Each structure stands twice: as C-alpha cells, then as structure tokens.
Amino acid sequence: MKKDEVPQDTSNLETAKLKELCYALDDDGNYTTVNSSGWDPKTIALNQAIEEINARIADAKRRVLKNKTSPIEYYMEFHKMDVSILASYVGMWSWRVKRHFKPTIFKKLSNKKLQKYADTFDVSVEQLKDITKHGN
Amino acid sequence: MEINFTHHQTAHCENGVISNLMKHHGFQISEPLAFGIGSGLLYCYIPFLKVNHAPALTYRAMPGFIFKRFAKRVGIEIKREKFKNPQVAKERLDTNLENNNPVGLQVGVYNLVYFPDEYRFHFNAHNLIVYGKEQDRYLISDPVMETVTTLTEKELEKVRFAKGPFAPKGHMYYPISFPEKLDIEKAIIKGIKHTCRDMLAPMPVLGVKGIRHVAKLIRKWPKKKGVKVANHYLGQVVRMQEEIGTGGGGFRYIFAAFLQEASGILNNPKLADLSKEMTDIGDLWRDFALDASRIYKNRSAKEDAYNNVASQLETLAEKEEAFFKKLKKAIK
C-alpha cells in the first residue's frame, strides 16, 4: 500500500476525533506512517456487528416485557455481554446466571443478589426490576 | 506528579507500549522492530473461543507474548505484577509513578471512556502506559491514540479489573534492567525464525494451514449456517483482520516495515526484497477484506461470492507459504 492509497473514509472514529496510524510506502519505497480516518470495509463490518447487538437487545427487551425472560438478560445484551462474561462479573457460575433469566426465579432473588447485578449494570435495583425505567 | 514522557502514536497497542517504554529508557526501538523481534505476526483460528457470538481468529500473537519474547531476545528484564485487591494495585501503581517510573498496564476496552462507543467490546487485552497523576486523574499514553489523555482513579480501576476472557487482574509491567547494549541483530534473527516456524507449523488451525482451514469453512458457511449467521461470521473475519491501526492488510504491512528495517540493520538485501513481497501480500489481504465486505453489505449469501473470497484466501495461503519458506532461507 502506498502512502496516497491509505484509506481516508469517514468512520465511527470521527466521533472520538481519532485517526489511526497505518504503515505505507513513500515515493522512494520506504515504509512510513500515515494517519487514516477510516476504511469503509472495516466500518461496514463494525456496523454490522453493532446492528446485530442492537437486534439482540431489542429481542431481549420484547421478551422481558412479555415476561418470557428476566431483565437480567436484557441488561446483559445491553452491555454487549454473554452469559460467561456476566457470570465472571457477578462472581457466579454460568448456570446460576442462566437460571436467573427465568422470571419466576428472578422474582425470588434476594436483595443482595439484585444489588450485585445492579452494580454490574450500573443501574439502581429499581431500574433492574423494571426495564422501562432504564435510561436509554 | 508528571514523568517526563514522550507519547508516540503507533498502529497497535502492545508494540506501542514496548516501543514507547524503550524510547523512554533511551533505546530507539521502532514499532515494527518490536513487532518483528517479538514475533507478533501470526494466523490462528480459535474454534473453541467465541467473540461476539462468532468464532474467533487472530492475525497476531497472544496478548503479552510479543513483549515477553521481545524482552527475552534483546536481554531486558521485565517485572510483572497482578493483583487480587484493587486498592493494592492502585498503591503499587502510585509508588511507581512517585519513583518516576512509567508503567504498562493491561486493560479491558469496554469501559475505556475515551474510545469511540462502537469500539468498546469486552476485549481485555488492550495496553496503555500511565506516566503520571494529577490530583485524582491518571495521565495516560494510549499508543493507538493520537495524543495523551487522562482517566479518573475510578475509571482506571474499572478497566484494570475488567472481567471475562483474558481478565487483566490489574496486570502492570515495566522493564527493570537493561544490558549495556541491546543485541538487536541476534534478536531479529530469532524473531524471524520464530515467525517462520509458527506460520509453517504442521497444525490444522495455525499459520498457513489455518488460513486454508478458514477458507474451507467459509465455503461451507452459507449452506450450513444460513445467510445471516454466515454474514456475521464473515464480518468477524474482517473485523479481526482490521483491528485498530492495521489499516487494511492486517499486520502484514507492519511486518513488511520490519523486514525493511531489518534488512538495513543486518545488511541483508534479501530481506528488502521480501519486504516488497510482503507488501504485495498485504495488498491482497486488503482486497480480500474489500470483497468480503461487499458480501455482508449486500446481505447476500450467494454461494459463488463465498467461494470467491474463499479462493482468495487459498491464494493467500499459497503465497504466504512460499514467502515464509524463502524468508527462512534468507536468514540462514
């Protein structure tokens, strides 16, 4: 890749006023570094992943409101986590976290456990219990 | 307190921390040199690890390995500390800063507030340098950022104690002793040999064989997994290839830059030719990413489109196989 071929497409980096560094050849064939504002194939790949996550969040939300799953699953998706990551944050086994997805079990959770989840998701226990009170 | 430290932006975080810390201690080590000596280049498909609900693959060595190998090969000694207790971790960091010693930290990206939202995944092997503290804000030199930044005590604790795969556990590291003169020549040869060995390894998921393995999988994905999942997986292949700062071509361009520099240091013109060849290979990786992105952009899973990118990968495997065989000979 030559210096003038370094992609300068608009990307999500812009929001953070960030440009990344790339290695490319100068006119004499020597390697040098050039800042890049982004590259479309990369941006598309990233956006596709984000869309996927948003769809998962929406799906979880729908199921919480239908009482098919507990708010924990919604907040987990919201924070781009999977069960094993969430389990390591709250310090429980994955199967216990999964069990807490069941609305009937969730209702019986102690305040201490609820607080643990609330802290992990950076919300109040009240918000944890009722996702319609969640900020975004 | 602020340590007199110069921030240089680099393409990749781990090389960047090595290069910036070495420069701070008076050794001019460029990013490509750190990457090459630490044998950073790799290809590995990791079927048992899922990232974002898709199989993981990597184009570079395991987090931490580049620095470990680099240190061993040039003869510097590194002190590493991990912590259970965040309070102790903070105290140890503060002591180092008071002693005028900038340190490298392993952190999780998800809570790294200065990163664009879209880039904040649960990826726990990011690296940065702390070079001072003013009131309750730590002064941060993150190698992939253009300029220095700051984090509050709480923000830094959060990223140092992120959970999940590769949890950093407060991991802090810094060089403690240097030899009189770094043995760069020998280190370069060791680094190259190691990379050739990895890339030509007789393992189904590693190196050139790994590339062929993924090519085969890509051919199967549309039928086996359906359009949506196949596109999601293919997107992951590109996302992993194009981590921040690799600018199309994964880590291949950094490796080409390394070979060019090594050619001068070792006075070996063959390496300069091979650098050119690696640049061309990098361009082909770029074409692959471009064509793959067209597939998932159109949300189609035409089998011939998948077959086409798979064939491109197979060509890449062939070219890299020939390349690393030549490279192995060139340093004998």
Side-chain angles (χ1 to χ4, degrees), chain A residues 5-48:
Chain A
E5 292 167 354
V6 172
Q8 302 292 352
D9 303 335
T10 41
S11 76
N12 327 60
L13 291 172
E14 215 168 299
T15 53
K17 293 197 184 86
L18 172 68
K19 278 190 175 181
E20 54 184 321
L21 195 79
C22 295
Y23 284 81
L25 294 170
D26 67 13
D27 297 336
D28 303 322
N30 292 318
Y31 261 98
T32 180
T33 57
V34 184
N35 276 103
S36 159
S37 57
W39 190 38
D40 283 342
K42 208 164 163 171
T43 309
I44 298 165
L46 197 56
N47 288 347
Q48 182 225 23

Side-chain angles (χ1 to χ4, degrees), chain A residues 1 5-7 11-13 15-23 25 29-31 35 39 41-42 44-53 56 77-82 85 88-89 122, chain B residues 9-11 31-32 53 110 116-122 144-146 158 162-164 231-232 235 239 242-245 247-248 253-254 256-257 260 279 283 286 289-290 293 296-297 299:
Chain A
M1 185 167 60
E5 292 167 354
V6 172
S11 76
N12 327 60
L13 291 172
T15 53
K17 293 197 184 86
L18 172 68
K19 278 190 175 181
E20 54 184 321
L21 195 79
C22 295
Y23 284 81
L25 294 170
N30 292 318
Y31 261 98
N35 276 103
W39 190 38
K42 208 164 163 171
I44 298 165
L46 197 56
N47 288 347
Q48 182 225 23
I50 289 161
E51 267 172 41
E52 188 90 8
I53 290 166
R56 295 180 74 95
E77 294 294 353
F78 184 85
H79 285 279
K80 302 179 191 163
M81 295 176 172
D82 58 24
I85 293 174
S88 66
Y89 268 98
D122 220 359
Chain B
Q9 190 188 10
T10 58
E31 174 181 18
H53 313 279
Y110 185 67
D117 268 354
E118 293 85 349
Y119 282 83
R120 286 165 61 180
F121 292 100
H122 292 274
V144 302
M145 303 293 286
E146 283 178 271
K158 239 181 167 175
K163 301 277 167 54
N231 281 341
H232 179 59
R239 277 194 302 281
E242 304 302 334
E243 271 184 79
I244 278 198
Y253 294 130
I254 308 181
Q260 190 171 65
T279 305
D283 289 342
R286 212 165 103 100
L290 187 67
S293 76
Y296 51 73
K297 189 182 170 187
R299 291 163 207 275

